[in-house]
């Protein structure tokens, strides 16, 4: 069996470590034992590469909670699974809020142990891939991309960033088109980022805003005006909703894209601009051409590199990380204490379809933060009713809990089974809809079957 990864097993009971090592090594894991929390930190501090940490909760000296806090500070990318013989709803929720990836009740069922450490390993791989992309492309902190679709978009953005090729970014409202545009600009090394919202400029003023104007041009542009093209000369020109560019201005825009030259309104001389063009639009460019809103030659120039950002509902794996990022941004913006999300609230957010995408998510979280009072943890009741209802039924319960909570695993399970049902059981079509390859879908279905067996 191929190596599954490296796992640090922490327990003051040597017999327990040997038992766990026997099970995990048989599955292909490389097990590093540690008989104390301090010994585990020593292993991490010497730079050992680790995929998962599996630790007991109650240990003399540094216990599992203290080790978890230390790992969060030193190596936050490594998921920590906590094992305890004294499981309770309160302790489980406390551990999850403290940053634990999962908790297991001792003695753990072997199938549950195997599934949990494997999923933790998958989380590590996703985090490392995102870190790799962030090292390669200087993306703004607003880019959250754990899904394969978004990672592929970021990778394409990296490859095109250093060129002068125009880029067209499409997607529904609120999907983060400008965020990706700024990521490309940041990786390009260009100077300024000049943005123009084509939908917000009156048609009579558009050409002066884009190309500039010289004195004496009646009636709207009598004053001399520096246009966006001139301002963005060595930087990036960002045209938001480019399909709203007046048809009368599009030939001049095409001329600049082709030759790098333009004329300000009322000017006799030709100017040059070395700006790089990044444009966005919500609708499909083909539809805009068919509706005679966009000239074909402009369409052809813009569509050389076309990045389409899928809506949030098609990449639910990005929702938890995006929600937590937005909470941090909201706290900074309004100078508030940072808020956190209870597991059931996070699960409801993940299950919701988000027609307004990331912008709607941010508005929902802003409302929750504004109305939370003094509490730090946002629960299901802090969400709007139409979202809160999603987390209310048919959930798997934490052992010993009186009320069920919908976990992220359960959300994923339901979504996969729902897509399979809609595709008539066709796994290839389901994998395409889910944005994963077929082998990943097969692996997830095996995990779902394993969880189902555990619940019998």
């Amino acid at each position: 069996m191929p190596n599954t990864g490296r796992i640090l097993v922490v327990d003051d009971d040597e017999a327990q470590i040997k038992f766990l090592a026997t099970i995990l090594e048989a599955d292909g894991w490389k097990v590093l034992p540690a008989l104390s929390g301090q010994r585990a930190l020593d292993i991490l501090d010497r730079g050992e590469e680790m995929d998962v940490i599996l630790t007991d909760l109650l240990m003399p000296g540094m216990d599992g909670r203290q080790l978890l806090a230390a790992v969060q500070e030193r190596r936050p990318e490594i998921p920590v699974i906590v094992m305890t013989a004294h499981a309770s709803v309160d302790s489980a929720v406390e551990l999850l809020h403290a940053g634990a990836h999962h908790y297991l009740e001792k003695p753990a069922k072997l199938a549950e142990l195997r599934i949990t450490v494997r999923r933790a390993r998958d989380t590590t791989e996703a985090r490392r891939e995102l870190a790799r992309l962030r090292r390669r492309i200087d993306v703004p902190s607003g880019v959250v991309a754990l899904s394969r679709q978004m990672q592929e978009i970021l990778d394409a953005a990296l490859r095109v960033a250093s060129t002068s090729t125009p880029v067209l970014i499409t997607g529904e409202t609120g999907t983060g088109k400008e965020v990706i545009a700024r990521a490309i600009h940041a990786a390009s090394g260009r100077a300024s980022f000049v943005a123009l919202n084509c939908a917000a400029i009156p048609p009579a003023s558009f050409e002066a805003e884009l190309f500039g104007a010289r004195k004496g041009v009646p009636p709207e542009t009598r004053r001399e005006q520096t246009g966006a093209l001139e301002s963005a000369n060595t930087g990036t020109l960002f045209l938001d909703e480019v399909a709203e560019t007046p048809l009368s201005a599009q030939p001049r825009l095409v001329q600049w894209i082709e030759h790098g030259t333009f004329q300000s309104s009322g000017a006799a001389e030709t100017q040059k601009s070395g700006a790089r063009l990044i444009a966005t639009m919500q609708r499909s460019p083909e539809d805009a051409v068919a509706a005679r809103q966009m000239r074909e030659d402009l369409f052809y120039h813009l569509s050389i590199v076309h990045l389409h950002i899928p809506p949030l509902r098609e990449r639910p794996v990005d929702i938890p990380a995006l929600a937590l990022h937005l909470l941090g941004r909201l706290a900074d913006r309004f100078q508030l204490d940072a808020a956190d999300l209870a597991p059931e609230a996070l699960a409801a957010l993940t299950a919701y379809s988000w027609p307004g995408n990331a912008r709607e998510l941010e508005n929902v979280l802003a409302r929750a933060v504004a109305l939370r009072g003094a509490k730090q943890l946002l629960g299901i009741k802090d969400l709007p009713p139409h979202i809160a209802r999603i987390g209310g039924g048919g959930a798997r319960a934490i052992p010993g809990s009186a009320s069920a909570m919908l976990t992220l695993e359960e959300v994923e399970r339901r979504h996969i089974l729902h897509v399979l049902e809609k595709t008539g059981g066709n796994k290839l079509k389901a994998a395409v809809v889910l944005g994963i390859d077929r082998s990943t879908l097969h692996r997830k279905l095996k995990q779902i079957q394993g969880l189902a067996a555990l619940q019998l």
Side-chain angles (χ1 to χ4, degrees):
M1 182 178 293
N3 191 297
T4 301
R6 291 166 60 86
I7 183 167
L8 178 61
V9 178
V10 190
D11 200 307
D12 62 313
D13 185 343
E14 189 171 0
Q16 176 71 0
I17 287 185
K18 288 181 177 178
F19 170 73
L20 292 171
T22 300
I23 300 300
L24 294 168
E25 286 173 352
D27 288 344
W29 287 91
K30 169 67 176 176
V31 177
L32 280 76
L35 286 169
S36 70
Q38 185 56 55
R39 176 60 182 154
L41 286 186
D42 292 341
I43 292 173
L44 294 178
D45 287 344
R46 71 185 187 212
E48 290 280 358
E49 189 72 18
M50 210 64 60
D51 296 292
V52 182
I53 296 174
L54 178 63
T55 180
D56 190 22
L57 178 61
L58 300 179
M59 296 182 292
M62 179 181 291
D63 64 15
R65 287 186 181 86
Q66 293 169 318
L67 175 60
L68 171 62
V71 172
Q72 290 282 297
E73 182 178 347
R74 287 170 163 82
R75 303 283 291 277
E77 78 280 3
I78 305 176
V80 178
I81 302 167
V82 181
M83 300 183 68
T84 174
H86 307 281
S88 69
V89 176
D90 290 341
S91 64
V93 171
E94 178 188 348
L95 289 169
L96 293 173
H97 289 167
H101 174 79
H102 201 72
Y103 82 100
L104 293 172
E105 188 173 1
K106 295 172 67 174
K109 298 175 182 178
L110 296 186
E112 185 178 12
L113 171 66
R114 287 180 168 122
I115 289 171
T116 302
V117 295
R118 190 164 60 242
R119 290 186 173 181
R121 185 273 323 273
D122 292 344
T123 298
T124 306
E125 290 179 353
R127 288 173 178 172
R128 285 175 179 162
E129 176 65 11
L130 181 60
R132 181 186 68 82
L133 288 168
R134 288 190 183 281
R135 284 193 298 270
R136 292 173 59 196
I137 179 170
D138 185 18
V139 296
S141 60
V143 176
V144 176
L146 296 179
S147 63
R148 181 175 64 85
Q149 304 102 303
M150 289 302 295
Q151 289 186 14
E152 288 177 352
I153 288 171
L154 283 178
D155 207 25
L158 167 69
R159 291 196 299 272
V160 77
S162 61
T163 73
S164 57
T165 307
V167 178
L168 176 64
I169 306 172
T170 59
E172 295 179 5
T173 180
T175 48
K177 297 184 289 295
E178 183 172 349
V179 172
I180 297 298
R182 289 184 179 275
I184 296 171
H185 170 73
S188 71
R190 289 175 172 267
S192 55
F193 183 90
V194 177
L196 209 61
N197 186 338
C198 301
I201 301 172
S205 306
F206 186 89
E207 295 192 36
E209 292 284 347
L210 179 58
F211 302 108
R214 296 295 176 258
K215 288 181 178 179
V217 182
E220 292 85 6
T221 56
R222 288 179 183 150
R223 63 185 181 84
E224 187 163 326
Q225 182 174 349
T226 299
L229 261 178
E230 185 178 349
S231 298
N233 183 26
T234 58
T236 298
L237 174 64
F238 175 66
L239 295 183
D240 193 16
E241 289 302 323
V242 67
E244 300 297 325
T245 300
L247 282 170
S248 60
Q250 291 185 23
R252 295 177 67 185
L253 180 57
V254 169
Q255 179 185 347
W256 167 69
I257 296 173
E258 288 181 340
H259 305 292
T261 60
F262 69 96
Q263 280 183 298
S264 297
S265 299
E269 73 279 6
T270 298
Q271 293 178 263
K272 288 188 175 182
S273 174
R276 195 269 187 78
L277 176 62
I278 302 178
T280 71
M281 54 191 299
Q282 290 184 40
R283 65 187 305 188
S284 107
E286 293 85 356
D287 289 346
V289 172
R292 300 185 182 278
Q293 187 180 9
M294 178 184 286
R295 290 170 54 100
E296 284 191 13
D297 50 0
L298 178 57
F299 162 69
Y300 293 137
H301 283 297
L302 290 177
S303 59
I304 295 173
V305 176
H306 180 188
L307 304 178
H308 179 72
I309 304 179
L312 206 52
R313 62 182 173 275
E314 293 181 8
R315 44 188 178 94
V317 70
D318 288 332
I319 294 174
L322 181 58
L324 295 174
H325 162 76
L326 291 173
L327 280 176
R329 193 166 78 177
L330 288 167
D332 290 341
R333 183 191 305 171
F334 299 116
Q335 297 182 335
L336 300 170
D337 292 335
D340 202 356
L341 287 161
E344 69 274 14
L346 196 55
L349 293 175
T350 305
Y352 181 60
S353 60
W354 299 109
N357 294 292
R359 187 172 296 129
E360 183 186 6
L361 174 59
E362 183 169 13
N363 289 340
V364 165
L365 293 173
R367 171 188 180 275
V369 168
L371 299 177
R372 66 174 171 164
K375 63 182 177 181
Q376 182 179 5
L377 189 65
L378 302 175
I380 197 81
K381 294 181 179 178
D382 296 300
L383 302 178
H386 66 288
I387 299 176
R389 279 194 297 270
I390 296 175
R396 260 190 320 120
I398 287 180
S401 66
S403 61
M405 285 199 302
L406 191 65
T407 66
L408 297 181
E409 292 176 354
E410 178 68 7
V411 170
E412 180 183 66
R413 184 189 75 83
R414 291 184 180 196
H415 183 57
I416 289 173
L417 295 178
H418 173 72
V419 170
L420 275 171
E421 179 184 356
K422 292 297 184 183
T423 57
N426 187 314
K427 292 179 182 177
L428 180 58
K429 288 183 179 178
V432 172
V433 172
L434 291 165
I436 58 180
D437 56 47
R438 191 160 51 176
S439 62
T440 302
L441 177 59
H442 280 298
R443 175 171 56 81
K444 289 182 177 293
L445 287 173
K446 286 181 180 179
Q447 292 172 354
I448 288 170
Q449 291 165 358
L451 285 173
L454 288 173
Q455 295 171 10
L456 294 178

